[in-house]
Amino acid sequence: METVEDRVKSRLATAVFATCVLLVVVVAGRGLAQAWSLAPDLGHGWALPWLLGWLLWERLDGTSPEKTRAAPDWRAWAGLAGGVAVFAGTRLFLEPFPLWPTLLWMQAVLVYGFALAAAGLAGGRSWVRALAGPLALVFTAVPWPTVVENALLHPLREGLAYGVAEVLNFVNVPAFAEGATIRVTGGPVGVDEACGGMRSLQASLMIAWFAGELARMRAGRRVLLLGCAALAAVAGNFLRAAVLTWLTDAGGVELFNSWHDPAGYLALGCTLIVVVVLGWCWRDRTGTRKAGIVDAAAAGKPVLSWAQAAWALVALTVVLGAEAGVRAWFASGQVRLATAPRWAVAWPAGADQFKTYELTSAAKEMLRPDVFTSVSWRTADGGDRAGYYIAWERGSGARNVPFLHSPEVCLPSVGNDLAWRGGPVEVSPGDGLTLPFEVYEFRQHGRLKHVFRVVWDPDEGRAAAPMESDAGLQTWLSRQWADVAGRRIRVRIQVLALAVNGATDRAEAERVFREEIARLVKTNGH
């Protein structure tokens, strides 16, 4: 016969078990939360805790646990040990590379597996069966694997661009598509910008999975709902791209920027409404899908032993230890100070027709710079100049962003054709500083435009280099490991670009560039 003291001990063990499991999920899920903050396409991930909490409460409230006090066996302890080892390894790399898709999927699998293991220890197989579906919602809040991005999403964006161009031509709006860019009279429109990176696709799949679990749909209906959600997201993005391109043709880039975000929210809202309505219409009305679910009043609560609580407590201890070790490893690294002098840019604010330009909301969301200036002006001899300066002072985004958004990527989208790329052109503004600039030559309506650009790592005191496209897996991994081994989590990058318009050839463009850069770049000693 169970005494009052036994009941108190069991309840205390249950409370310790539940608290430790919750904390392990929170700590282990930190990598996912960091990705939700950094990647615009993953912002819907912040809805995951609320949706998942709703589903877990609904399932556990009416699912009777198996009354057992069995201690965790060797499989539970071995699984815990292996999971923590993998968690520590992934966290070590996710700290400097928080948007690495493969590692984020591994973290999601670890969280999912741990939660199911805890459910099995607390409520037996009935809880595992009841929670397997709802917990899988976590996989809708991780970035697309690279293979899916390349094989599915990139062709989908190009297909949308060609489809929008055909529709606009049908309604007498001249348009043609180049890759994922639609060209109209008012300017080019990139499907990546007009469709917000297809972020509503993943958000729609999350809501569809949630609706299927909440309504306890049969497998066939769930698959159909997921397919309809994907089609609704694609249709919503197609309409958004068509409307924004039409607005660009009518009012130019300014009108596009003013409608970019409202059109995106409207498309996402309409898509989610379609998914919710379909989920409601296809919900199970017979109650046959509730086999194994009992009345909430009759459902017992799990009664746990201290052996089970000890398993959860050990899990929390080692996960916290791994997290603390990762943070201590990177915190112990000293920021390497470059021996080269620091430099800054002083734009000629008093020049004729001097103008400054702000980042659009879409570009700001994509680049996330700490410093951004973009200007244009006219020289005393009538030459047109333009330039921009971008700096990232913290975080890890600067490892890739400066190379993803280079002149050869951006300028063709506004009607410039890349004719030649060369360099480096080295300039020495003073104090022993040497900046190597890449050179891009573009043609637009028969006129030459030369762009000189440097991507500088101030901590290393040298130009930053992107990973070569043909680099092998071993080379790529060794470069990632170099940052981990070097405890380098914060990356600072400076980017300076100067455009010389109207030069007759490369020699004249370089001569003008050297004259301008000597006036613009200031070192510590000047």
Side-chain angles (χ1 to χ4, degrees):
M1 181 176 180
E2 189 176 39
T3 65
V4 174
E5 183 179 357
D6 290 335
R7 286 197 297 271
V8 170
K9 290 181 178 180
S10 296
R11 290 177 181 176
L12 182 58
T14 302
V16 170
F17 179 89
T19 302
C20 290
V21 168
L22 178 61
L23 291 177
V24 167
V25 171
V26 170
V27 175
R30 178 178 173 269
L32 297 177
Q34 191 175 11
W36 301 340
S37 298
L38 295 174
D41 287 356
L42 297 178
H44 66 281
W46 292 109
L48 176 65
W50 305 98
L51 298 178
L52 190 55
W54 186 351
L55 289 178
L56 294 181
W57 172 81
E58 188 268 344
R59 290 296 173 90
L60 294 180
D61 191 47
T63 305
S64 180
E66 298 175 2
K67 295 183 178 180
T68 177
R69 287 175 175 267
D73 59 13
W74 67 270
R75 291 171 298 181
W77 289 106
L80 178 60
V84 170
V86 175
F87 168 76
T90 56
R91 281 295 297 124
L92 192 63
F93 280 88
L94 278 175
E95 195 68 14
F97 307 102
L99 295 178
W100 194 332
T102 302
L103 298 187
L104 288 172
W105 272 90
M106 292 175 66
Q107 291 248 300
V109 170
L110 289 175
V111 171
Y112 180 77
F114 174 79
L116 279 185
L121 288 175
R125 294 182 179 179
S126 63
W127 274 26
V128 172
R129 288 192 298 268
L131 301 185
L135 288 172
L137 195 66
V138 69
F139 298 114
T140 64
V142 291
W144 297 103
T146 303
V147 62
V148 174
E149 182 81 19
N150 294 333
L152 178 62
L153 296 186
H154 288 173
L156 180 59
R157 293 186 182 105
E158 293 184 0
L160 284 175
Y162 281 95
V164 169
E166 290 296 326
V167 169
L168 291 177
N169 282 310
F170 182 77
V171 296
N172 296 321
V173 176
F176 68 95
E178 291 182 344
T181 300
I182 310 161
R183 296 188 183 277
V184 292
T185 304
V189 177
V191 169
D192 285 343
E193 295 177 349
C195 294
M198 291 295 291
R199 70 188 63 177
S200 62
L201 176 58
Q202 218 166 351
S204 300
L205 294 178
M206 171 184 276
I207 296 301
W209 189 271
F210 170 78
E213 287 295 332
L214 188 64
R216 303 181 189 278
M217 293 181 184
R218 298 180 182 274
R221 286 187 177 179
R222 294 190 191 201
V223 173
L224 184 59
L225 182 59
L226 288 170
C228 289
L231 289 176
V234 172
N237 278 284
F238 180 87
L239 291 175
R240 181 191 184 196
V243 170
L244 288 175
T245 306
W246 176 72
L247 290 173
T248 302
D249 179 76
V253 177
E254 292 77 10
L255 193 58
F256 170 89
N257 291 334
S258 64
W259 278 95
H260 177 272
D261 290 343
Y265 295 135
L266 182 62
L268 178 59
C270 291
T271 301
L272 296 184
I273 289 174
V274 169
V275 175
V276 171
V277 170
L278 290 177
W280 174 259
C281 293
W282 293 346
R283 72 189 186 280
D284 185 80
R285 295 184 175 90
T286 64
T288 57
R289 298 301 296 166
K290 295 188 178 183
I293 306 299
V294 300
D295 181 74
K301 295 182 179 180
V303 180
L304 306 182
S305 68
W306 277 104
Q308 293 157 321
W311 180 87
L313 187 59
V314 169
L316 177 60
T317 301
V318 293
V319 166
L320 285 176
E323 181 71 17
V326 169
R327 295 200 184 192
W329 171 259
F330 287 101
S332 64
Q334 298 294 324
V335 176
R336 289 165 289 184
L337 299 178
T339 57
R342 302 292 177 174
W343 59 274
V345 180
W347 299 114
D352 184 33
Q353 299 185 27
F354 182 84
K355 296 179 181 179
T356 61
Y357 305 90
E358 299 292 332
L359 269 178
T360 64
S361 58
K364 186 178 296 183
E365 186 179 51
M366 192 178 299
L367 297 176
R368 295 174 179 262
D370 295 301
V371 179
F372 175 85
T373 56
S374 178
V375 302
S376 65
W377 71 95
R378 176 162 291 182
T379 62
D381 58 359
D384 291 329
R385 306 286 183 265
Y388 63 80
Y389 174 77
I390 311 176
W392 290 265
E393 298 292 342
R394 59 186 182 276
S396 58
R399 282 187 169 91
N400 301 311
V401 173
F403 307 108
L404 297 177
H405 301 276
S406 64
E408 62 185 329
V409 173
C410 300
L411 287 181
S413 67
V414 291
N416 294 275
D417 297 321
L418 180 63
W420 174 80
R421 175 182 174 179
V425 172
E426 296 185 344
V427 296
S428 301
D431 289 353
L433 177 67
T434 299
L435 298 178
F437 284 79
E438 294 179 306
V439 188
Y440 303 84
E441 183 179 272
F442 296 90
R443 292 181 183 272
Q444 185 179 36
H445 306 304
R447 192 167 185 238
L448 289 178
K449 173 184 290 186
H450 294 84
V451 179
F452 299 80
R453 176 176 178 263
V454 64
V455 181
W456 186 257
D457 185 332
D459 293 328
E460 297 284 354
R462 58 176 175 80
M467 178 65 69
E468 296 296 332
S469 59
D470 58 350
L473 178 61
Q474 183 176 358
T475 301
W476 185 81
L477 288 175
S478 64
R479 182 162 178 175
Q480 314 308 306
W481 173 249
D483 275 352
V484 173
R487 303 177 176 91
R488 194 181 187 200
I489 186 173
R490 188 181 72 168
V491 177
R492 298 193 295 176
I493 291 292
Q494 296 173 278
V495 177
L496 173 61
L498 180 65
V500 177
N501 298 315
T504 57
D505 54 31
R506 297 167 194 166
E508 181 185 354
E510 182 176 336
R511 177 185 60 79
V512 172
F513 164 72
R514 290 183 180 277
E515 293 174 354
E516 293 287 358
I517 210 69
R519 292 189 287 265
L520 296 177
V521 175
K522 307 297 181 182
T523 61
N524 288 341
H526 290 75

